[in-house]
Amino acid sequence: MALSSPASRRDPFLPHAVSAFLHRRLIEATGIVITLIGLGLLAALVTHSAHDPSLNRATSDPIRNVLGRSGAVTSDLLLQLAGLFSVLPGVVFTAWGLQITTKGEFRPVVLSVRFLALIGALIGLTMAFASLPLPDSWGVEGGVGGAIGQLLLAKLGALFGLFGISVYIPIRIVAGLLGLACLIAAFGFSLAEWMRAAHIIGRAAEVTARASLTVGRRGADGHAHAAARRCA
């Protein structure tokens, strides 16, 4: 009969309940950190100013970006590379962080696959909308798809051009569809979560529309009362 050694019978350093508690808190902390990274990226992009310093622009003007110089440089770099789709990392990171925090699950392999899907989404969507212009005030030369989209679309188009085929429009369509599929995979939402998100977005849009109508009516009523008083 095999006898277990004293080491194998040794009690764990921490009780199981305490170990499980610390494990859950560590997962939640990881989710919070990822959420903060996503929100930080979004904050940097939302407060981006073309007049802030960047890698190719030095200025002594006051920095407008809420995250300071680092936020100004980061937002400019993201916009130049990915254009309008530079918001995707911030949105997706925030979604990942909230999922990890609320579900209490952190699976590095799954997250790695989703990260690759996010890269695929950026490649596909920037190619699909490459060269479409953005307002001059943004200071983004690459347009909606940024420099990445322009470069990849030009290279792939030139490759097919060697065979005398012009396929820029089909490339855009296929890249856009693949990019959208990768984006859905990157979020990792279940069908129920997508439906819940759609419901929340719909409710938010409804509340916003009602608030806008209310403000508009009050403004119209105020102008009408003012006109009536002037006439009186």
Side-chain angles (χ1 to χ4, degrees):
M1 181 175 64
L3 297 176
S4 57
S5 64
S8 64
R9 296 195 304 268
R10 188 176 300 162
D11 292 334
F13 179 71
L14 293 173
H16 176 72
V18 175
S19 178
F21 174 82
L22 293 177
H23 182 67
R24 288 194 298 270
R25 298 295 84 79
L26 180 60
I27 291 176
E28 290 174 357
T30 302
I32 291 172
V33 170
I34 295 176
T35 302
L36 291 177
I37 292 174
L39 292 176
L41 291 174
L42 292 175
L45 288 168
V46 169
T47 57
H48 169 78
S49 172
H51 303 289
D52 282 345
S54 61
L55 294 179
N56 56 3
R57 184 177 190 273
T59 178
S60 58
D61 295 339
I63 299 176
R64 298 168 177 82
N65 199 289
V66 70
L67 297 184
R69 183 176 297 273
S70 60
V73 173
T74 300
S75 63
D76 182 74
L77 182 61
L78 288 173
L79 284 167
Q80 297 298 341
L81 290 176
L84 192 61
F85 297 100
S86 57
V87 301
L88 292 185
V91 173
V92 174
F93 274 42
T94 302
W96 288 348
L98 292 176
Q99 284 179 312
I100 293 170
T101 304
T102 56
K103 292 183 177 180
E105 297 179 355
F106 179 67
R107 294 174 289 179
V109 175
V110 173
L111 201 62
S112 299
V113 173
R114 290 181 183 176
F115 185 76
L116 293 177
L118 174 60
I119 294 176
L122 285 171
I123 292 174
L125 292 174
T126 54
M127 286 179 62
F129 293 90
S131 302
L132 297 181
L134 283 172
D136 293 338
S137 59
W138 288 38
V140 180
E141 298 178 359
V144 174
I148 292 177
Q150 282 188 339
L151 177 63
L152 293 177
L153 183 64
K155 293 295 184 181
L156 198 55
L159 179 62
F160 280 98
L162 295 176
F163 304 97
I165 305 173
S166 179
V167 289
Y168 282 101
I169 294 179
I171 288 176
R172 288 179 184 271
I173 295 173
V174 172
L177 293 175
L178 291 176
L180 182 59
C182 287
L183 181 60
I184 293 173
F187 276 109
F189 288 165
S190 64
L191 180 59
E193 288 172 329
W194 278 113
M195 294 178 65
R196 193 179 306 119
H199 176 72
I200 293 173
I201 293 172
R203 290 291 297 171
E206 181 181 354
V207 171
T208 302
R210 288 180 178 178
S212 299
L213 288 174
T214 301
V215 172
R217 287 172 182 171
R218 288 178 179 175
D221 291 342
H223 287 304
H225 289 309
R229 284 195 299 268
R230 285 196 299 268
C231 291

